[in-house]
Amino acid sequence: MQTHTHRARPGTARTKPHSIRTTESLWLSAKRRAQQEGVTMGYMITELMEGFARGLIDLPKPGAAGDSTAKREPGHSVRTTDELWNSATRRAKQE
């Protein structure tokens, strides 16, 4: 895994890219919605991850019919702090 870091703006935490896998159609639908809402994909994903990591958002349990991981397609990269990424990963492992 590559560990490029991104130069943060003054007063913000440093971030590095983390990859996620999702279907292309879901990515494009989310991107379209983010654009309609006037936010970036990075902002939308960070808000969702923070909500999940803090226990404010619960996810359906995997294994249900139509499980979103059934069809794997190429991943996309998002930039987030290691602290947020690790917090969301720990919560996901607890579920």
Side-chain angles (χ1 to χ4, degrees), residues 42-59 80 83-85 87-89 91-92 94-95:
Y43 176 81
M44 182 267 302
I45 291 168
T46 298
E47 289 296 306
L48 290 171
M49 287 179 64
E50 284 181 354
F52 178 73
R54 293 179 182 173
L56 303 173
I57 297 173
D58 292 320
L59 303 176
T80 186
E83 179 183 355
L84 176 56
W85 185 264
S87 179
T89 300
R91 170 118 194 269
Q94 293 172 357
E95 297 286 315

Side-chain angles (χ1 to χ4, degrees), residues 5 8 10 12 19 21-22 27 30 33 38 44 48 53 55-56 63-64 70-71 73 76 78 80-81 93 95:
T5 56
T12 62
S19 295
R21 287 194 178 272
T22 186
W27 182 265
R33 170 88 189 271
M44 182 267 302
L48 290 171
L56 303 173
K71 182 180 178 188
E73 294 186 20
H76 295 276
V78 295
T80 186
T81 63
K93 288 180 181 178
E95 297 286 315

Side-chain angles (χ1 to χ4, degrees), residues 2 32 39 44 61 71 76:
Q2 296 179 354
R32 196 169 24 257
V39 298
M44 182 267 302
K61 300 296 180 205
K71 182 180 178 188
H76 295 276

